[in-house]
Amino acid sequence: MKGVCRVLLPWVVLLLALPSLNPNAQDQDGGWSDWSVLSSECTEKCGTGQLRKVRSCTKPAPQGNGKLCTKEDMSLGEVEFKLLTCNTFSCWDDQWSDWSNCSTTCGEGKEMRYSVCNGTQACENDQYQEETRYCNTWNKTICPSPCENMTCPEYGICRDESTEKKPKATCVCTMGFIMNDAKDKCVRPPPPSPTPRPIPTLPAEQKVVATVISKSASTILIICVSICLIIFLVLRIFTPDRVIQMNMEIALVLAHIMLMFPPSFTEIPDVCRVISIFIHFFFTACFMFMFLEALHMYGYVAYVVKQDGMCSRVQNTLVGWGVATIILLFSICFEYENYGGEYHCWLQIDTPLFYAQLIPIVSLVVLTFTLIEAAGSADYKPLKGIDKSQRTSAKFSQRTNLVVMPLVFCHMLVGMFSEYEQNLPLYGIFTILNSVSGVAVLFLHCFNNQKVRQKMVGMYKSMCKGGGAH
């Protein structure tokens, strides 16, 4: 800065003096300009230094025969320099004031001191310094509790946790509330995260036994129901009630074919999910056709129709599979990720998907039993021209449904729980129910139909006659 001033000052003087060089100007005495703002740097940072300023005889500048400006020493001149004092404040010699009182009377705070110049005077400008240090005036015996000056949020109380060394108060929430992250409000705690259910396992030997008996039972059911289907196909019996039963039997067989896949398919999640979806679909269709069978039976027993039921074969088939498809699609829309599982491919009982299957099936079971009860308990007026053979078959169907539906429902439910719990006794019950269900479908559906009954009676008589001839 000092070097810049030395360079600029001569030029400033020259510029100020230029007007006096005009030869045509009128006579006028010169006058001093103000002392320049531009000055040299102070020679000292403290303890009084000097700086130099300048003024010129340019306000106004002398013209013609006018006089130059009079300097402070009474001489005339165009430029005058002046030395001024600066930084007159004292220099700090590393002296400090006493420490101030602690900023708090009962607790932790700060003490402060400042730099001193000339004995007791606080230093000025850049000589002024401050220092702070930690202080503690806490005395647990005589100081008031910090809770006296603390306000807690609603549902919160202040807890004095002061020690001998320092005060401490904390707001604690009551009545089951907890403090939020900002520590300014008591809120209800979020619901606890459920503990993941450990995957149940069976000892290797028991797992082999459970797999063998459950697959064997499904095999027995598939064989029995398939024999029933073959008998009716060979005899070419496709009456409306038989078509309903046939669809029910197909759905039941397909559901158990899905159950025949080995547990190793759980290692392929996408395949396991598809198996689970088909199990859901086929069991739902099975119960839907049992409901349609009860509705068909009701039409005869209650004298609503004369023959062939309330719906045609095609209508019953489309309604049965169609309603099952709609229920399945609705479940897939909301619970697709819950199909399949980590250790089995049946439905997951611990997810909402369990209710997506159980609620429609239970509803169908209730409606079916309601129709059976309504058909059997009321005294209906006979309908002229009714097909008596079909009405007789409908009465048999009424009793058949009372046996087959509970068996299928129970073995489906026990099967789900046996897979979910990996429980050997449940596997045993599932095996028994499966076998009984297969035999019941074969026996009851065959003897439920008049034509089959007649064929069976004819075959029995032929066998008796053949035996008598011998």
Side-chain angles (χ1 to χ4, degrees):
M1 183 66 183
K2 188 180 292 184
V4 173
C5 292
R6 289 174 179 173
V7 172
L8 292 180
L9 280 173
W11 289 99
V12 171
V13 172
L14 178 61
L15 290 173
L16 294 175
L18 283 176
S20 64
L21 301 177
N22 185 359
N24 298 322
Q26 296 180 357
D27 295 341
Q28 182 175 333
D29 293 339
W32 292 112
S33 67
D34 295 332
W35 289 103
S36 64
V37 176
L38 185 64
S39 63
S40 61
E41 187 176 356
C42 189
T43 56
E44 301 292 339
K45 291 185 177 181
C46 61
T48 307
Q50 290 183 333
L51 56 80
R52 186 170 65 167
K53 290 193 174 186
V54 63
R55 64 178 177 174
S56 61
C57 189
T58 56
K59 194 176 180 181
Q63 298 183 10
N65 294 321
K67 294 181 180 180
L68 294 174
C69 297
T70 303
K71 298 181 181 180
E72 289 184 355
D73 59 359
M74 303 309 293
S75 62
L76 298 177
E78 294 180 354
V79 178
E80 182 178 18
F81 295 93
K82 182 179 182 182
L83 293 176
L84 301 175
T85 59
C86 57
N87 293 343
T88 57
F89 52 84
S90 301
C91 292
W92 180 48
D93 57 354
D94 201 25
Q95 298 297 313
W96 292 95
S97 67
D98 295 332
W99 289 102
S100 66
N101 293 329
C102 193
S103 58
T104 57
T105 56
C106 266
E108 297 173 299
K110 291 181 178 180
E111 294 175 335
M112 187 270 290
R113 67 176 182 175
Y114 53 86
S115 57
V116 173
C117 298
N118 293 333
T120 58
Q121 297 292 326
C123 297
E124 300 179 22
N125 296 340
D126 60 352
Q127 299 298 297
Y128 182 80
Q129 305 287 333
E130 279 188 359
E131 250 187 10
T132 59
R133 70 179 181 183
Y134 168 83
C135 60
N136 188 351
T137 58
W138 171 249
N139 186 317
K140 188 176 181 180
T141 304
I142 62 175
C143 287
S145 170
C147 285
E148 292 183 9
N149 298 320
M150 189 171 186
T151 302
C152 291
E154 187 179 8
Y155 302 111
I157 59 172
C158 182
R159 178 183 293 169
D160 190 342
E161 299 177 350
S162 301
T163 64
E164 295 296 335
K165 294 183 178 181
K166 63 179 181 179
K168 183 180 180 182
T170 305
C171 284
V172 180
C173 296
T174 60
M175 300 176 64
F177 287 79
I178 61 173
M179 192 67 70
N180 64 355
D181 293 337
K183 305 297 183 185
D184 61 356
K185 188 176 181 181
C186 290
V187 297
R188 291 198 178 277
S193 301
T195 303
R197 175 178 177 266
I199 297 177
T201 56
L202 281 173
E205 299 82 3
Q206 293 185 17
K207 184 63 177 177
V208 171
V209 173
T211 302
V212 170
I213 62 175
S214 61
K215 303 305 180 189
S216 299
S218 290
T219 302
I220 293 172
L221 184 142
I222 292 170
I223 291 172
C224 289
V225 178
S226 298
I227 291 172
C228 183
L229 285 167
I230 292 170
I231 289 173
F232 281 95
L233 286 173
V234 171
L235 297 177
R236 301 183 65 80
I237 299 173
F238 301 106
T239 56
D241 58 330
R242 178 53 209 160
V243 170
I244 296 174
Q245 289 181 347
M246 180 180 67
N247 280 289
M248 172 265 177
E249 293 160 2
I250 291 172
L252 187 59
V253 167
L254 291 175
H256 278 271
I257 289 175
M258 294 296 106
L259 296 177
M260 295 292 288
F261 285 96
S264 59
F265 275 90
T266 55
E267 299 175 4
I268 312 174
D270 291 336
V271 175
C272 187
R273 183 173 288 116
V274 170
I275 293 172
S276 180
I277 289 172
F278 276 119
I279 292 173
H280 184 185
F281 174 64
F282 290 132
F283 269 117
T284 304
C286 180
F287 285 97
M288 185 63 203
F289 282 113
M290 282 192 272
F291 167 73
L292 290 175
E293 183 182 2
L295 186 64
H296 179 84
M297 169 273 302
Y298 178 81
Y300 288 116
V301 178
Y303 295 104
V304 177
V305 294
K306 295 180 179 181
Q307 61 180 5
D308 295 336
M310 289 185 282
C311 299
S312 67
R313 299 174 181 85
V314 175
Q315 288 172 335
N316 281 321
T317 301
L318 292 177
V319 169
W321 294 109
V323 171
T325 301
I326 292 171
I327 293 172
L328 180 73
L329 291 176
F330 185 82
S331 299
I332 289 176
C333 287
F334 296 97
E335 295 293 329
Y336 176 75
E337 294 299 328
N338 288 327
Y339 280 99
E342 294 184 42
Y343 60 96
H344 69 86
C345 294
W346 210 328
L347 296 181
Q348 302 299 311
I349 292 179
D350 56 349
T351 67
L353 181 59
F354 174 69
Y355 302 100
Q357 180 185 33
L358 198 62
I359 290 174
I361 288 179
V362 170
S363 300
L364 289 171
V365 170
V366 171
L367 289 174
T368 301
F369 279 121
T370 301
L371 285 174
I372 294 173
E373 175 65 22
S377 62
D379 185 15
Y380 298 100
K381 183 179 179 180
L383 189 65
K384 292 181 180 181
I386 192 170
D387 189 322
K388 292 183 179 180
S389 64
Q390 290 189 6
R391 189 172 186 273
T392 302
S393 294
K395 289 183 177 180
F396 276 104
S397 175
Q398 184 180 19
R399 296 177 179 86
T400 299
N401 249 344
L402 285 172
V403 176
V404 173
M405 177 171 280
L407 283 172
V408 175
F409 180 76
C410 288
H411 91 243
M412 180 200 72
L413 208 58
V414 172
M416 279 194 291
F417 277 99
S418 64
E419 288 282 9
Y420 180 73
E421 297 291 345
Q422 293 290 293
N423 184 283
L424 189 59
L426 285 178
Y427 276 117
I429 297 172
F430 175 62
T431 300
I432 295 171
L433 290 174
N434 257 359
S435 302
V436 174
S437 298
V439 173
V441 169
L442 173 61
F443 180 81
L444 294 175
H445 280 190
C446 286
F447 283 91
N448 176 50
N449 188 275
Q450 185 179 13
K451 290 184 179 180
V452 176
R453 289 198 305 272
Q454 290 173 352
K455 291 284 185 181
M456 292 293 181
V457 171
M459 290 174 61
Y460 177 75
K461 289 180 178 180
S462 297
M463 291 174 63
C464 289
K465 287 180 180 180
H470 289 294

